[in-house]
Amino acid sequence: MKLFDKSIRNQSLSALAFALTAATLTACGEKAVETPAETAAPAAQAEKPSAVATLELSNPSDFPRLDEAVYLSYYELGLKQGFASPLAVWNQAEQIPVQAIDKDADGNKDGILFTVDVAVDETIKLRIAEADAAHEGPKLTQAEISHKVGGEWKEREYLGGSFQNVSALDVPKEHTDHSWYIRYEGPGIESDLVGYRVYLDWRNGFDIFGKQTQAPVLQGVGQDGFDSYHEPSDWGMDILKVGSAVGVGGYGYWDGEKVIRVSDVQDWRAEIAENGSLYSAFKINYQGWKPVEGVQTDLSAVLSMHAGSRLVEVNAKTSDELDNMVAGIVNHPGTELIVGDMDITGHAYTYLGTYGPQSLDGSNLGMAVLAKRKVIDEVTTDEHNQVAILKPAGKEIQYYFLAAWEKEVASEHGPITNKAEFEAYLKQEAEKLTMPLRQRLTTAASEAETEQPLTAGVALEWSKRLADSELERKTLDYRFGGYDHIRKRPSYFEYTTGMVLQAYDELNQVAPEARYADAVQTVMGSFVNEDGSINGYVQDKYNIDSVRAGTMLLRMYERNQDPSYKKAVDTLFEQLEHHPRTSKGAFWHKKRYPYQVWLDGVYMGIPFLAHYETLMQEEPNVDEVLAEFKVVNEILKDPETGLFYHAWDEKREQVWADKETGLSGYHWARGMGWLAMALVDVLDFIPQENAEDRQYLLDMIAEIAPVIEKYQDPETGTWWQIIDKPGKRANYRESTASTMFTYFFAKALNQGYLPKDEYLDTAKKAYQGLLDEFVQVHADGTISITDMCQVAGLGYGRDGSYEYYMSEPIYDDDPKGTAPFITSGVEMYKLLKAES
C-alpha cells in the first residue's frame, strides 16, 4: 500500500483545500469559507490554561495507527452536561485540531473528537485543557443536504428554482427518484478520502463519490443537474452503479429469499447532525416503514464519518422488534467476494467485501461492510446484493461500510490498487475497530478526590458512591424482565446479578441504608416465584455460572425462611448433584463445554455448594468443595511461577488446549481473581472441625498471595490483563482483576488468613491503585470504574491466544468489576478501622 507523507498533506490542505473549497462555494453562490486563524501553526504556548485531563494513548497493533479518531465524552472528562467552553488538546507543544460533537445526534454536544497518529509500540501523552477558542484545523469532513427553492412542483418533477443547503428536510409527498428537487438526490457525507450519498426516496440506495482531492467537494456536486457528476472531473466522480441493489453498505430487510429495501415508507426526514472539520454526520428518519405485509416500524439511522477514514459508521434503530435486518453491497459481475474470518470471538469485527473493476469508469473498486461477528447471523446473496443478515440488540444494529477506489487521491492511506492490498486493508480496519487505541485517562475532577488520604471512612464512602451511582444508572434493571445495558440483552438469572446484589448486601451490613436492602429484595426477589421456580433459569443447561446467583438467595433464605427460596436453592443444589464432572471430580464449566474446568467456575459454584451444605445439611459434606480446589491446584497451576492457567480440557480436544497437558496458554488475571475470591469466600462455610480441609485452603491462600503480589504493577499497584506480561504490546492494566485481588488481600487479612506485617501495605497499595487508576469522577457526583475486560471465555471462536485476550471489549461499570470494587471497599473499611 502506497503511503503519502503526512506533512505534505497538512501543508497542502491548509494552503490548497480551503482555497479550493472557498472558490467552489463562491462559484455556487454561497459565502466563501474563510480560513480560521487557528489553522495556522499554533504559537508556542504562553501559559497553560485550566487543565481538564491527561490522556495516554498506546498502539495495540503491529502497524501504525494513522488518523485514529478519539472521542471523549464530557461525562467521562468530569465536565457538566451542556458544557459549552472550547477545549484544547496538546501533544507536547503542538495543539491538535479538535471538534466538539454531538455523537448520539440528539441535538446536544456531548464530547470532543480528534485524530492522532500513533506508531507501532508508541505511547503518546496528551493534555486537555479549557481554551479561549476552538482549534478545528482544516475542513476534512462534510455532511449536507440541499434542495431547490423558488420553483414549483409539476406532478413528480420540480421545475425551476435554485439549490439551498438546509439543516433538515421533510421530504415532500411529490418527491421520488429523479424529481430534480434534492441535489444529488439525498444527503451526502464525505471525508478527505471518499464521499457517499443516500437516495432519499423509494430506492434508498447508497452511492459513492470517488474523490481525487482531499478538499471538501460535495458543495459543488450536482449544482448543474444529475448528469455532470457521472463524468470525470477535477474533483472525481460518481463511481457506483447501484441499480436495484442497496449500493454500498445500505440497510434493509431479509424476507428469507431477498433484500427488501427501505421503500414502502410513509414519510422521510433527513437532518444534518454534524458538519465539522473532523467529524460529520446525518440522520434519516423513516416513518411507517413496511418491509413486508403485516409488519410496520419506524426506522432511524445515523451515518457518520471522521477525517482520514473511508468508513461510515451506521447506527440504526427500529421502533419495534425487527429481526433479519441486513447490510449489503451491490453484487456486480466480475468481482471477487471477500469474507473475513468468521471463527472468531463474537466481539471482534469481521467483514464482507467485494473487489474488482466495478467502478462506473471501469477501474478497480473495493467495497465492504464491517460488523461484530456476533451481530452477523448469516452471509448470503440474492440477485442484486451480497448480504450480511444482522441480529439487532435492543432493536439496534451497528456496523460500518466503506469504499476504496484505485483512482482516489494519493495519501498515507493509499490509494488501494489491487485485491491483496484491499484485503490487507480490511484486516487492519477490522483490528482497529476490535482493538481501539489503549487509553489511560486521568481527569482533574478525579484526581481532586482520589488524592485524599486513605482511611476506613474514605474506603467505605467510595463503595457507597459506586453503589449509589449504579443504582442511578442500572442496578434495578438487573431484575427479571429488565435489560442488561452492558450486554445489550434481557436481564438473566446469572452470576453477575448475584455478584452485584451480594455486594449491596455486604455494604448494607456495615452501612445500612434502606435503598441497599430494597435493591437486593427488588432484584433477587424478582426471579423467585411462589412455587420456588426461578425465572429464566434452565437447569439442564448445566451452566455453573447460573449457580453463583444462588449465593444471594441462600442469604435471603437464611434470614426469611421463606419456603419458596428454599425450593429455589434446592433446585440449584440439585443441578450440582447431577452436574457433569471430570474424572477427578471437578465440575464441567458448562454442558456445552464438556470436560473443561475453568478458574471462573470455582468462584461460580463452590462457595454456593459450601454454604448450602453447612446451612441445609445436618452433616455437611465438603468433599466436593475440596475436590474442585484440588483439581485446580494440582493441574492448572504452573509449578515454576505459581500462576494459574485459565482453563483445562481433560480430553485435550479444544483448539485452545495444549495437546499434552490440556491447559490453555495464558495466565488471565481475572481468572486468577475468580480463584482468589473463591478461596477467601469458601472458608466462611467450611466448619472449624474440618481442620484438614481448612488447612488445605489456607495453604493455597498462603501460596497464591506472594505470587499475586509479585505481579502487582509497581507503578500503580494494579494488575495487567495478562498478568505476567506487563507492558507487552496491547496489554493493559485491568480493573476487574485488580478489584478482585484487592478484595482477596483485604479479606484474607481481616480473617487472619495472611499476616498483616507482610501484606497490609500490599492491600493498601492495591486499593489506592484502584482509586488512582480506575475511578472516574463525574460532574454530577457519580463515579465510574474504567478499563474492564467485558468477558473472556474459551471455545466457539475464542482460541485462547494472546491476541484473543487483547481483542475482548474494554468497558466501564461492568458488574464483574463494580461488585468486587464495592466489596473490596467494605473489606478495606474493616481493615483500616481495625488499624486505627
Side-chain angles (χ1 to χ4, degrees):
M1 189 180 299
K2 302 179 183 69
L3 299 182
F4 184 72
D5 187 273
K6 190 157 191 173
S7 63
I8 298 175
R9 172 201 177 199
N10 288 342
Q11 293 168 15
S12 65
L13 281 176
S14 57
L16 171 63
F18 271 92
L20 179 57
T21 304
T24 307
L25 288 172
T26 303
C28 297
E30 297 182 28
K31 183 179 178 180
V33 178
E34 296 179 2
T35 305
E38 290 85 4
T39 60
Q45 207 175 1
E47 60 182 52
K48 294 182 179 180
S50 177
V52 171
T54 58
L55 176 66
E56 288 185 15
L57 296 170
S58 301
N59 183 354
S61 301
D62 62 0
F63 55 88
R65 302 288 280 261
L66 304 177
D67 285 312
E68 192 85 350
V70 178
Y71 168 76
L72 297 173
S73 69
Y74 295 141
Y75 182 70
E76 63 188 315
L77 287 170
L79 302 172
K80 292 182 179 180
Q81 185 176 6
F83 180 82
S85 299
L87 292 178
V89 179
W90 295 85
N91 184 358
Q92 297 181 0
E94 177 188 3
Q95 190 173 355
I96 297 174
V98 63
Q99 180 184 338
I101 72 167
D102 174 14
K103 186 80 166 85
D104 58 8
D106 69 348
N108 300 302
K109 303 291 186 185
D110 45 42
I112 59 171
L113 180 139
F114 52 90
T115 64
V116 292
D117 293 346
V118 189
V120 177
D121 294 328
E122 182 183 20
T123 296
I124 62 175
K125 189 169 183 177
L126 308 178
R127 185 169 54 83
I128 303 164
E130 293 188 38
D132 293 330
H135 171 53
E136 290 196 4
K139 188 166 180 59
L140 302 176
T141 71
Q142 183 170 205
E144 65 165 16
I145 185 165
S146 179
H147 71 91
K148 279 188 175 180
V149 295
E152 61 179 358
W153 283 101
K154 185 175 182 181
E155 297 180 353
R156 64 185 298 275
E157 293 186 3
Y158 193 88
L159 304 180
S162 59
F163 288 114
Q164 173 181 289
N165 276 32
V166 293
S167 59
L169 173 63
D170 291 297
V171 179
K173 296 292 184 183
E174 300 92 337
H175 175 71
T176 184
D177 63 292
H178 296 84
S179 285
W180 311 96
Y181 175 68
I182 302 176
R183 185 157 58 84
Y184 56 77
E185 302 189 273
I189 192 167
E190 66 177 315
S191 70
D192 44 324
L193 301 178
V194 63
Y196 305 93
R197 61 173 172 146
V198 177
Y199 301 148
L200 203 58
D201 54 54
W202 64 273
R203 297 168 298 170
N204 200 59
F206 289 24
D207 205 346
I208 308 167
F209 290 131
K211 292 180 59 173
Q212 295 184 308
T213 174
Q214 290 182 274
V217 301
L218 288 180
Q219 69 281 347
V221 174
Q223 292 282 357
D224 56 349
F226 290 117
D227 295 330
S228 62
Y229 52 79
H230 293 98
E231 300 296 330
S233 65
D234 290 343
W235 64 263
M237 64 179 290
D238 179 307
I239 59 174
L240 185 65
K241 180 175 177 57
V242 174
S244 299
V246 294
V248 54
Y251 37 73
Y253 179 82
W254 183 255
D255 72 353
E257 297 180 354
K258 62 185 181 301
V259 173
I260 306 297
R261 294 184 291 186
V262 187
S263 297
D264 188 355
V265 175
Q266 293 176 0
D267 291 295
W268 284 267
R269 177 180 172 84
E271 302 175 21
I272 304 304
E274 286 289 350
N275 179 20
S277 299
L278 299 172
Y279 174 88
S280 290
F282 63 76
K283 181 177 182 179
I284 305 180
N285 292 321
Y286 307 84
Q287 197 109 28
W289 174 37
K290 297 178 181 178
V292 290
E293 187 67 30
V295 176
Q296 180 170 317
T297 185
D298 297 335
L299 169 67
S300 64
V302 177
L303 284 71
S304 60
M305 293 189 80
H306 70 79
S309 175
R310 300 181 179 91
L311 277 67
V312 173
E313 180 178 356
V314 179
N315 286 280
K317 185 174 183 178
T318 56
S319 59
D320 300 276
E321 297 285 350
L322 188 65
D323 293 330
N324 291 355
M325 288 287 289
V326 303
I329 307 169
V330 56
N331 187 14
H332 285 145
T335 58
E336 296 184 71
L337 179 65
I338 303 169
V339 179
D341 190 356
M342 293 292 173
D343 188 21
I344 54 175
T345 174
H347 295 286
Y349 279 81
T350 190
Y351 46 84
L352 165 70
T354 62
Y355 195 83
Q358 55 185 329
S359 171
L360 281 175
D361 68 348
S363 55
N364 283 328
L365 172 66
M367 296 182 285
V369 166
L370 299 94
K372 287 186 176 182
R373 175 63 186 91
K374 69 176 183 177
V375 172
I376 301 176
D377 193 43
E378 182 184 352
V379 172
T380 186
T381 187
D382 68 7
E383 180 183 359
H384 304 292
N385 305 278
Q386 297 289 352
V387 181
I389 302 176
L390 307 178
K391 293 180 286 189
K395 305 177 187 176
E396 299 179 15
I397 58 171
Q398 187 257 3
Y399 67 93
Y400 296 78
F401 67 82
L402 62 86
W405 185 37
E406 72 170 334
K407 291 185 178 180
E408 74 183 32
V409 63
S411 71
E412 69 267 33
H413 300 277
I416 295 168
T417 58
N418 58 58
K419 180 190 174 188
E421 289 180 348
F422 187 60
E423 283 193 275
Y425 165 70
L426 290 180
K427 288 178 181 178
Q428 289 190 357
E429 291 302 310
E431 180 173 323
K432 287 163 65 176
L433 294 172
T434 301
M435 291 197 300
L437 295 174
R438 298 292 189 238
Q439 295 188 11
R440 290 182 71 197
L441 177 66
T442 304
T443 68
S446 299
E447 280 191 311
E449 298 196 39
T450 57
E451 289 180 345
Q452 60 185 311
L454 180 58
T455 64
V458 166
L460 184 60
E461 185 59 29
W462 282 117
S463 289
K464 292 175 67 176
R465 283 185 70 176
L466 183 61
D468 291 340
S469 299
E470 283 292 282
L471 268 176
E472 185 176 326
R473 283 190 290 256
K474 62 180 185 291
T475 295
L476 297 183
D477 291 334
Y478 289 128
R479 76 183 88 183
F480 180 68
Y483 189 73
D484 185 335
H485 298 276
I486 295 289
R487 305 294 286 273
K488 295 189 180 300
R489 67 187 189 191
S491 295
Y492 295 153
F493 184 81
E494 59 183 339
Y495 69 101
T496 48
T497 307
M499 285 178 67
V500 169
L501 278 304
Q502 185 174 326
Y504 278 89
D505 192 61
E506 295 281 351
L507 179 59
N508 193 54
Q509 291 178 38
V510 297
E513 295 284 357
R515 62 184 179 275
Y516 302 150
D518 290 346
V520 173
Q521 183 59 49
T522 297
V523 176
M524 297 308 302
S526 72
F527 289 97
V528 181
N529 299 310
E530 287 188 13
D531 63 358
S533 60
I534 304 172
N535 291 316
Y537 169 73
V538 182
Q539 187 180 100
D540 62 12
K541 286 185 177 181
Y542 291 103
N543 179 352
I544 206 164
D545 285 349
S546 300
V547 176
R548 178 65 206 177
T551 57
M552 193 60 237
L553 296 185
L554 275 168
R555 289 188 180 197
M556 297 171 77
Y557 171 68
E558 195 169 7
R559 295 166 188 165
N560 62 27
Q561 296 296 299
D562 187 324
S564 62
Y565 282 78
K566 183 179 187 306
K567 291 178 182 178
V569 296
D570 285 347
T571 298
L572 296 172
F573 179 72
E574 183 184 7
Q575 173 186 323
L576 293 181
E577 285 189 299
H578 303 291
H579 201 101
R581 296 161 171 79
T582 68
S583 62
K584 293 183 178 291
F587 295 109
W588 292 5
H589 193 66
K590 298 179 185 179
K591 184 179 179 179
R592 69 195 292 254
Y593 297 135
Y595 302 97
Q596 298 172 44
V597 178
W598 297 10
L599 293 178
D600 318 36
V602 186
Y603 178 77
M604 302 306 163
I606 307 309
F608 170 87
L609 178 60
H611 191 180
Y612 185 94
E613 286 285 348
T614 57
L615 180 64
M616 300 296 195
Q617 314 289 15
E618 290 186 9
E619 296 183 7
N621 179 2
V622 295
D623 289 347
E624 282 200 299
V625 171
L626 268 294
E628 192 82 13
F629 283 102
K630 287 177 179 178
V631 168
V632 167
N633 199 34
E634 294 167 10
I635 296 178
L636 278 76
K637 183 168 68 175
D638 178 359
E640 294 186 8
T641 64
L643 295 169
F644 287 76
Y645 292 97
H646 187 180
W648 172 59
D649 170 24
E650 185 177 28
K651 295 295 185 180
R652 282 88 167 152
E653 294 176 346
Q654 300 301 313
V655 66
W656 50 261
D658 184 275
K659 298 308 177 186
E660 293 184 8
T661 66
L663 293 166
S664 59
Y666 287 90
H667 306 297
W668 179 43
R670 187 161 78 218
M672 287 191 62
W674 293 129
L675 175 61
M677 290 199 301
L679 281 167
V680 293
D681 283 356
V682 80
L683 277 164
D684 293 344
F685 309 109
I686 305 296
Q688 291 293 331
E689 54 266 29
N690 291 57
E692 186 176 337
D693 296 330
R694 289 184 63 85
Q695 192 58 52
Y696 186 89
L697 297 172
L698 290 169
D699 288 345
M700 281 189 70
I701 290 173
E703 291 168 2
I704 200 174
V707 174
I708 297 173
E709 182 186 47
K710 176 182 176 181
Y711 291 97
Q712 187 177 27
D713 181 43
E715 177 188 346
T716 65
T718 62
W719 284 266
W720 293 71
Q721 165 79 333
I722 296 299
I723 193 170
D724 58 334
K725 298 188 181 299
K728 183 174 179 178
R729 182 187 298 154
N731 206 4
Y732 59 97
R733 297 170 181 88
E734 200 277 329
S735 65
T736 66
S738 298
T739 57
M740 292 175 182
F741 291 145
T742 305
Y743 172 80
F744 163 77
F745 280 115
K747 184 170 182 178
L749 289 168
N750 282 326
Q751 298 297 106
Y753 304 151
L754 291 173
K756 289 187 178 180
D757 60 342
E758 293 184 32
Y759 292 105
L760 179 58
D761 287 344
T762 301
K764 289 180 178 179
K765 182 178 181 180
Y767 188 76
Q768 187 63 50
L770 301 183
L771 304 182
D772 294 341
E773 190 72 13
F774 305 124
V775 167
Q776 194 173 84
V777 176
H778 306 301
D780 61 3
T782 62
I783 66 169
S784 289
I785 310 300
T786 66
D787 298 318
M788 299 174 168
C789 171
Q790 186 195 19
V791 64
L794 294 165
Y796 297 94
R798 301 170 296 183
D799 64 4
S801 64
Y802 176 81
E803 290 72 22
Y804 161 69
Y805 287 103
M806 296 303 110
S807 72
E808 289 289 14
I810 301 172
Y811 275 41
D812 296 347
D813 298 323
D814 188 286
K816 293 178 285 293
T818 56
F821 179 88
I822 293 170
T823 53
S824 65
V826 169
E827 293 297 329
M828 286 301 298
Y829 163 74
K830 296 175 184 176
L831 183 61
L832 296 172
K833 187 177 180 181
E835 289 296 302
S836 62

